Amino acid sequence: MAYKIILDPGHGGSDPGANFNGRQEKDDALALAMAVGKLLTNAGFDVEYTRTADVYNTPFEKAMIANNAGGDLFVSFHRNSSAVPNTYTGVQTLVYNREGLKEKLAENINKNLTAIGFEDKGIVERPNLVVLKRTKMPAVLIEAGFINSDKDNELFDNNFNEIAQGIADAIIDTLDDSGISATDAQVYTIQVGAFRNGQLANNMAAQLKAMQFPAMVVFEDGLYKVRVGEFKSLDNAVEMEQRLRAMGYNTFIRS
Ligand SMILES: [Zn+2]
């Protein structure tokens, strides 16, 4: 299974987040999360979103979506706001506490975004923020500049692709430093059969097991699929596939 990154566009639906001259935080958050997600997907990561449309979920529901999806990392996207427009500028990343992977990730995000021109408003511990507290995986929340700062909005709009790339690079580099890469987490398995009838699948699996193949049946997309093994190396998967093919099975390797 590939390393799974959950991207959480802040707010949504009936909750617009912060507003400034008709600009809504929820729209900036969604656009940025989707752009970062595309880059991470291209890099081979498994990416899921808490929303991809203009819908509302409570922060608690967002945390549960991430937990139920089995996420390995959670990144929430927001824009900051101050009481009086054009008083503050800069990027800030929030974490539950300053420990481990999430602190390193927050540092790298701030570093990459300040390189684009944002002021560095640092890393802030927010242990009571629901999406940071209730998610079971390392989590960060990015405040990508102030939405009620003309300077930050100009930076946000003129450097949108660079900002998305900077965040994606920060994620990839932080994971890389911790020995995690999208492809390392890849597992290969050999599919030997797919049946509408579960009994046929069980029969095939039993037959394979009798010959010492590590077979199992998985129900997926309306079919009972018979699969053999879980291999970290493609070479090992290919080797076993050749043995199965020599015995007359129609196989393919899936990752
Ligand atoms: Zn927000």
Side-chain angles (χ1 to χ4, degrees):
M1 291 240 291
Y3 191 85
K4 188 180 279 187
I5 302 172
I6 311 290
L7 301 182
D8 171 42
H11 311 281
S14 57
D15 169 20
N19 280 283
F20 182 57
N21 292 341
R23 184 173 188 135
Q24 298 187 310
E25 182 187 355
K26 65 176 182 179
D27 300 325
D28 285 355
L30 180 59
L32 187 54
M34 298 301 285
V36 170
K38 205 171 166 188
L39 295 167
L40 292 173
T41 303
N42 289 344
F45 288 98
D46 191 354
V47 175
E48 285 194 27
Y49 305 85
T50 56
R51 70 176 176 99
T52 54
D54 187 17
V55 293
Y56 177 72
N57 283 113
T58 65
F60 180 75
E61 286 167 338
K62 285 161 175 267
M64 292 308 116
I65 290 169
N67 292 344
N68 291 336
D72 296 302
L73 181 69
F74 182 91
V75 181
S76 189
F77 295 80
H78 290 254
R79 303 283 319 272
N80 219 332
S81 183
S82 55
V84 181
N86 289 310
T87 40
Y88 294 108
T89 59
V91 156
Q92 196 166 59
T93 302
L94 315 182
V95 290
Y96 177 76
N97 61 24
R98 298 191 63 139
E99 280 175 20
L101 185 93
K102 57 189 179 301
E103 186 190 23
K104 291 199 182 74
L105 175 57
E107 279 170 6
N108 286 334
I109 289 167
N110 287 4
K111 188 181 78 187
N112 287 0
L113 296 190
T114 41
I116 292 165
F118 284 106
E119 199 182 310
D120 188 358
K121 287 211 105 54
I123 300 170
V124 181
E125 288 190 346
R126 291 288 298 276
N128 291 319
L129 218 55
V130 172
V131 292
L132 301 180
K133 185 180 183 176
R134 302 305 296 264
T135 42
K136 289 179 177 161
M137 63 226 73
V140 300
L141 186 153
I142 308 168
E143 298 278 13
F146 282 75
I147 198 169
N148 62 355
S149 154
D150 289 316
K151 178 176 177 269
D152 276 1
N153 285 340
E154 207 178 301
L155 268 170
F156 189 92
D157 294 336
N158 293 342
N159 302 277
F160 183 80
N161 293 333
E162 290 80 359
I163 292 166
Q165 189 71 58
I167 294 169
D169 286 347
I171 293 169
I172 293 165
D173 291 346
T174 306
L175 294 176
D176 202 38
D177 288 346
S178 307
I180 302 162
S181 78
T183 43
D184 279 352
Q186 201 83 32
V187 171
Y188 301 94
T189 175
I190 303 158
Q191 186 156 313
V192 188
F195 303 90
R196 293 201 184 282
N197 180 329
Q199 192 54 51
L200 293 177
N202 287 334
N203 290 348
M204 181 185 263
Q207 194 180 61
L208 288 163
K209 279 183 198 159
M211 295 184 290
Q212 311 301 321
F213 285 103
M216 61 191 157
V217 177
V218 180
F219 186 68
E220 190 184 80
D221 302 326
L223 292 172
Y224 295 90
K225 299 176 178 177
V226 183
R227 289 181 183 153
V228 169
E230 272 195 344
F231 305 90
K232 287 201 167 135
S233 129
L234 181 57
D235 288 350
N236 291 344
V238 168
E239 201 177 294
M240 189 169 277
E241 182 184 44
Q242 280 165 352
R243 281 172 54 202
L244 288 160
R245 285 198 172 175
M247 297 171 74
Y249 289 103
N250 281 314
T251 61
F252 70 91
I253 293 178
R254 60 185 299 286
S255 59

